[in-house]
Amino acid sequence: MLGSYAIIGAQLVIANGTAWSAQYRGTGQVTVCFFGDGATNIGAFHEALNLAVVWALPVVFICENNHYMEYTAIETVTAVKRPAADRAPAYGLPAVVVDGNDVEAVHAAAAAAIDRAREGGGPALIEAITYRHGGHSRADPGKYRPADEVAEWLGRDPLPAYRGVLISRGVDEAVLDQIDAAAKAAVDLATEEAKAGPEPDLASAFTNVWDNGGWAWRN
């Protein structure tokens, strides 16, 4: 899990690096890289897709298209309807679009892409159409989004939607309640363990910064 990047789209080129490492070492690992619709207008998006195809890297790029960049509707600044999928063919990748709120559709598309990458079939790109429930961050009230649009998408929340699917297939609601309770308990336990843990040593901020594992040689 490599989540330490601050530049929009930087994770795409990092993903290529980890995928190349797996390819070089022959580990059978596949890198899965998530990014938002806004990252598709960054140069790194195009550079990463191009090189991933050239080197046939075992990487799956997944664009979570929630229709908005930070505060801007994606369609107001993008020339194509599907910012990721419509550009994929330019780099020799199929345009795969799935309902990002459909659990089984996403699982099927991801599983196929990951299996193909693991077998040496090269990279894939999936654009999952979804929506964010709140603002871009906790400091963003999200008032720039139409209220009726937000209400419509909240009604398509994938968790209660899939719960309904499972119930319609005969799964006992009590079983689903138990799963929900177990998941919430696990999160609560992890939260309390983190809060009760010791503060990290400040010296740890200087470890693994450079290729020799330290930083002192820079001085």
Side-chain angles (χ1 to χ4, degrees), residues 13 25 39-40 52 70 93 125 131 149 174 184 191:
V13 290
R25 292 178 291 116
T40 64
E70 188 169 6
L93 293 171
L125 181 142
Y131 200 78
E149 176 185 278
K184 291 175 181 177
T191 300

Side-chain angles (χ1 to χ4, degrees), residues 59-168:
V59 56
V60 177
F61 299 104
I62 299 183
C63 173
E64 296 177 287
N65 182 355
N66 60 30
H67 301 279
Y68 287 87
M69 301 167 72
E70 188 169 6
Y71 307 116
T72 306
I74 186 67
E75 70 268 12
T76 64
V77 293
T78 308
V80 292
K81 181 178 180 180
R82 300 301 183 201
D86 287 349
R87 289 157 163 167
Y91 302 104
L93 293 171
V96 178
V97 180
V98 297
D99 179 352
N101 285 9
D102 184 328
V103 175
E104 293 182 350
V106 172
H107 182 273
I114 291 170
D115 288 345
R116 184 170 60 251
R118 183 168 284 120
E119 294 168 1
L125 181 142
I126 299 169
E127 182 168 344
I129 310 302
T130 186
Y131 200 78
R132 54 176 160 90
H133 288 190
H136 179 74
S137 68
R138 295 179 66 181
D140 173 21
K143 297 297 185 181
Y144 44 84
R145 302 183 305 172
D148 56 344
E149 176 185 278
V150 175
E152 176 190 352
W153 277 96
L154 288 179
R156 297 165 62 181
D157 185 317
L159 293 181
Y162 195 55
R163 181 185 178 93
V165 169
L166 294 175
I167 292 172
S168 72

Side-chain angles (χ1 to χ4, degrees), residues 166-183:
L166 294 175
I167 292 172
S168 72
R169 294 177 181 172
V171 178
D172 192 332
E173 286 196 65
V175 173
L176 299 178
D177 289 340
Q178 291 174 357
I179 294 173
D180 285 345

